[in-house]
Amino acid sequence: MSNFIQQLIYGLADGSILALAALGFVLIYKATGVINFAQGEFLLVGAYMFYTAFVVFNLPLLLAVVFGVVVATVIGVLVERLILRPMVGENPISIIMVTIGLSMLLNALVQAFYGTSPKSQPALLPRSSIEVLGATVPLNRIFAVVIAAIVLTAFTIFFRKSRHGIAMRAVADDQQAAMTMGISVRRIFAMAWALAAISALIAGVLLGDISAVDQNVAAFGLLVFPVVILGGLDSVPGTIVGGLTVGLLTQFTAGYLDGGLATVIPYIALVLILLVRPYGIFGEIRIERV
Amino acid sequence: MAATSTGIHHRSYTSELRLRATKAEYFRLGLMTALLLVLPFVLDNFWLSQINLIMIAVIGAVGLNILVGYTGQISLGQGGFMAVGAYSSAILSDRIGLPTPLAIIFAVLLTAAVGVFFGLPGLRLKGLYLAIATLASQMIIEFIIRRWSWLTEGAGYINVDRFEFLGFQVGNREVFEQQWYWILTILAVLTVITARNIFRTGLGRSFMAVRDQDIAAEAIGVNLTRAKLTAFAVSSGFVGLAGSLTAHYSEVVSWEKFTLDVSILYLAMIIVGGLGSIAGAVYGAIFMTLLPEVIRRVANALESSMPFLADQLPAVQNAAFGVIIIAFLIFEPRGLDRIWQRMKDYFKYWPFRY
């Protein structure tokens, strides 16, 4: 039982970080129709930017967060402007490849400047553990879940209530109609990339805090694909359900079956879902007519 | 259509279907052949080994281009399929004792079958969904070969015996690269010729119809299921051949050679070379295989003035990879093949501009 509770908390922590990473992915896909293979690298860059501000420049926590957010926004907007805008109207293969190229570039830049050895930073979240139903659970995992929940709620409220959020939903729904209503589609595209980079930054920092800041952060980012396929490529609630499911699935497989199997089980689940329900649990079903 | 084919008056369908029509084209073919025949006698072993790697890459890239460039089915599973070819061929020849060529043939057939299996999701999925499905197939195959200890007898790798056929055995260091050069060149040339000819047949044209507009293709009577699965089979067959040649040429098989990075490398080859062009796959294979070596030499040459380049060589190589992929997609989405076409056109029309 205690083992179960521990697995559960670990799974939920991983899952909520995954949900954050996947949120950025879904935002980009929904608003611009681009499938972003560089989402994992956004996590990586976010984690290292925060590390730079917090440890290398020795800024206070709040300023470090602001620094990270500014850099993430700049990167997101630049990527949209310089790399994705010229690709508008190209076939999916080219768009997928351009984001793969971007992921290689970002990964290589991080590697060139910071090397491959893991970086440790002072703990942001408390490292001590508490007893829950007889299980020892590290507090930082619980905090990770809470922070992710707050951020995801904030994003949801932003989409529902704020002017920009409603404009984003309008663009995702119908670009032409949104344009005629005076919404700047370009600005929305830039905003989608910036928000995606920010949510990836938060995910990257959380992940860096509970494990370490190293290249594995990007590998973790690859798991967004099972998440979004499970939840639906264009669904924000889907990322939460998908993220938690994949997090729990991985954690329980590692805990009860086999650690190696845990790395591949999300992909097996992915193939099964694709065969049964290709558009995910909450995804929009596209019907093709000619 | 590139302008190179204008100015030729066809009087029959057969003449239009010919691969080569002008004297210039025959001249270039002759030049190519002469070059291929002379290469092994003028290059040293190091450059020959690079050429050999290029030949294997040509086979793999042509295979991938059949699927991605001609049929429009994106695949991130190249590394996995190459692994299937490499492992099955190594096991068949070393452990079961089949003659090497026979083992290679069986490996090709097996890879084609595995390709069809993982192509099944492609019947319902398109574009990005298929990309993710093939990403999953890469992960799953990689996992299987890492964990299934029977494959490697627990060692993590398989040592492959030296290539042998009917009493002929590839020799030692001095002649090794040269003998492999002939084997690989012949196979690469055969692959290119086969692939070129597939697209003159109804089957190849049905592939292209699926790529251009699948629903319309179905409406005019193309059997979508069959076309897609055949494309997966043909493509994975070539990819399996590349994989098994990798195994026999390098004489050791381990899973590190067939990761997701390999899938991406091959996709980069066909993007840089030109999607939907056999010649493009060849140019891309040459370009991408030589790139790391060229960067290494440049970095070493600049070591005194820019020590950063040489210190961070792997990162610099990866960054260059990324930049090249992005740059080609933005500035020349149709790749080196299109650049070459434009150059030919320029000289053809000179001194006129068009």
Side-chain angles (χ1 to χ4, degrees):
Chain A
M1 183 64 193
S2 64
N3 194 13
F4 176 81
I5 298 285
Q6 193 164 4
Q7 308 282 355
L8 188 75
I9 302 286
Y10 273 76
L12 286 178
D14 279 4
S16 40
I17 296 174
L18 269 178
L20 272 178
L23 175 73
F25 184 92
V26 168
L27 272 178
I28 293 175
Y29 180 71
K30 231 170 127 78
T32 67
V34 167
I35 192 148
N36 182 19
F37 270 79
Q39 190 67 16
E41 272 67 23
F42 275 19
L43 261 70
L44 185 72
V45 171
Y48 273 95
M49 281 307 122
F50 181 78
Y51 166 83
T52 312
F54 193 54
V55 179
V56 180
F57 294 163
N58 215 354
L59 295 177
L61 179 62
L62 199 66
L63 270 182
V65 172
V66 172
F67 175 82
V69 168
V70 170
V71 173
T73 313
V74 169
I75 291 177
V77 172
L78 278 184
V79 164
E80 195 277 330
R81 184 67 194 85
L82 296 179
I83 296 179
L84 269 306
R85 185 135 350 136
M87 300 294 295
V88 168
E90 291 281 343
N91 58 356
I93 297 171
S94 305
I95 293 181
I96 288 171
M97 270 316 282
V98 90
T99 61
I100 290 179
L102 175 66
S103 78
M104 294 178 77
L105 178 62
L106 290 178
N107 210 325
L109 287 178
V110 167
Q111 199 189 325
F113 284 105
Y114 298 94
T116 44
S117 57
K119 308 275 179 228
S120 62
Q121 58 187 22
L124 305 172
L125 306 174
R127 287 274 158 93
S128 56
S129 23
I130 50 161
E131 294 264 320
V132 184
L133 297 171
T136 350
V137 181
L139 261 177
N140 58 6
R141 307 270 165 170
I142 296 177
F143 269 96
V145 178
V146 174
I147 292 174
I150 292 171
V151 174
L152 284 166
T153 320
F155 269 106
T156 315
I157 293 172
F158 170 78
F159 291 127
R160 296 230 172 278
K161 306 284 181 199
S162 81
R163 272 175 71 84
H164 292 297
I166 293 168
M168 282 187 83
R169 284 197 291 148
V171 170
D173 200 45
D174 188 338
Q175 280 182 20
Q176 291 277 321
M179 256 191 256
T180 54
M181 299 307 289
I183 295 169
S184 162
V185 173
R186 287 182 178 188
R187 222 175 50 217
I188 296 296
F189 277 19
M191 208 157 80
W193 279 90
L195 286 178
I198 292 172
S199 71
L201 164 85
I202 302 170
V205 171
L206 285 178
L207 196 64
D209 193 52
I210 62 176
S211 54
V213 182
D214 64 1
Q215 300 277 326
N216 283 331
V217 174
F220 183 83
L222 212 55
L223 281 175
V224 300
F225 291 108
V227 171
V228 293
I229 287 293
L230 187 64
L233 271 177
D234 46 11
S235 157
V236 174
T239 61
I240 300 171
V241 176
L244 293 182
T245 315
V246 170
L248 289 173
L249 186 66
T250 316
Q251 203 50 249
F252 281 130
T253 314
Y256 289 106
L257 294 171
D258 179 351
L261 187 64
T263 58
V264 81
I265 196 90
Y267 297 99
I268 297 174
L270 187 161
V271 171
L272 294 179
I273 294 159
L274 280 177
L275 288 174
V276 180
R277 200 182 152 82
Y279 298 102
I281 302 172
F282 298 103
E284 183 191 349
I285 296 172
R286 273 159 215 254
I287 299 166
E288 286 198 16
R289 293 197 181 88
V290 177
Chain B
M1 193 68 206
T4 32
S5 58
T6 55
I8 305 163
H9 183 55
H10 292 294
R11 285 167 179 276
S12 68
Y13 286 120
T14 20
S15 95
E16 201 187 354
L17 273 174
R18 276 200 307 189
L19 286 176
R20 286 179 178 74
T22 62
K23 280 197 183 119
E25 280 168 329
Y26 278 106
F27 179 69
R28 278 199 299 269
L29 180 69
L31 216 59
M32 242 346 261
T33 319
L35 182 72
L36 285 178
L37 290 176
V38 169
L39 269 183
F41 302 107
V42 293
L43 291 179
D44 60 10
N45 272 344
F46 171 77
W47 284 109
L48 265 185
S49 73
Q50 294 286 313
I51 303 271
N52 285 341
L53 291 177
I54 288 175
M55 291 299 173
I56 295 177
V58 163
I59 298 173
V62 166
L64 185 65
N65 215 353
I66 292 175
L67 192 64
V68 181
Y70 281 97
T71 323
Q73 311 283 303
I74 187 162
S75 166
L76 285 166
Q78 175 90 359
F81 294 144
M82 282 182 75
V84 173
Y87 275 86
S88 52
S89 158
I91 287 172
L92 285 172
S93 67
D94 272 22
R95 228 177 286 170
I96 301 179
L98 283 183
T100 317
L102 211 58
I104 294 180
I105 291 169
F106 276 118
V108 168
L109 295 177
L110 184 72
T111 318
V114 174
V116 170
F117 176 76
F118 281 106
L120 284 176
L123 298 180
R124 290 187 66 184
L125 307 168
K126 281 201 283 200
L128 11 125
Y129 283 94
L130 188 61
I132 298 175
T134 49
L135 171 74
S137 80
Q138 164 77 37
M139 294 297 183
I140 293 170
I141 295 177
E142 209 181 299
F143 173 74
I144 292 173
I145 58 175
R146 279 167 74 171
R147 294 302 294 277
W148 193 14
S149 55
W150 176 83
L151 284 177
T152 58
E153 293 181 323
Y157 59 89
I158 309 179
N159 278 318
V160 184
D161 287 344
R162 192 143 287 189
F163 188 92
E164 196 180 343
F165 179 54
L166 295 179
F168 163 78
Q169 196 190 25
V170 170
N172 268 326
R173 271 191 58 199
E174 293 79 41
V175 287
F176 178 86
E177 299 292 353
Q178 213 181 71
Q179 288 177 339
W180 267 108
Y181 174 84
W182 295 115
I183 300 171
L184 294 173
T185 306
I186 290 168
L187 286 172
V189 169
L190 283 178
T191 302
V192 169
I193 293 173
T194 317
R196 273 294 253 147
N197 282 298
I198 285 176
F199 296 101
R200 298 160 76 200
T201 65
L203 179 73
R205 290 184 186 279
S206 73
F207 289 177
M208 290 190 270
V210 171
R211 170 193 66 191
D212 291 340
Q213 182 47 268
D214 54 350
I215 297 173
E218 194 164 29
I220 58 167
V222 172
N223 185 338
L224 270 195
T225 314
R226 213 178 65 194
K228 282 185 178 177
L229 291 184
T230 325
F232 265 100
V234 173
S235 158
S236 334
F238 284 121
V239 173
L241 177 61
S244 65
L245 289 173
T246 312
H248 290 286
Y249 172 64
S250 56
E251 298 185 345
V252 63
V253 193
S254 71
W255 67 269
E256 284 107 340
K257 280 188 189 151
F258 306 107
T259 54
L260 184 62
D261 294 346
V262 175
S263 306
I264 293 173
L265 171 66
Y266 274 88
L267 274 174
M269 283 181 197
I270 61 173
I271 295 273
V272 168
L275 281 173
S277 149
I278 299 294
V282 178
Y283 306 146
I286 298 171
F287 188 93
M288 284 316 229
T289 315
L290 291 182
L291 184 68
E293 182 56 26
V294 171
I295 293 178
R296 193 176 70 81
R297 293 193 171 223
V298 171
N300 281 345
L302 296 175
E303 198 168 1
S304 49
S305 52
M306 280 188 272
F308 176 80
L309 281 182
D311 291 346
Q312 297 290 344
L313 190 61
V316 171
Q317 282 169 336
N318 282 338
F321 251 64
V323 170
I324 284 171
I325 296 174
I326 296 172
F328 263 98
L329 282 165
I330 291 177
F331 299 112
E332 187 51 276
R334 289 168 68 191
L336 291 168
D337 184 49
R338 185 82 192 95
I339 295 177
W340 172 231
Q341 295 280 357
R342 272 212 308 268
M343 270 162 51
K344 279 194 294 196
D345 287 353
Y346 178 85
F347 285 108
K348 195 158 204 167
Y349 296 127
W350 194 85
F352 305 110
R353 290 192 49 206
Y354 54 87

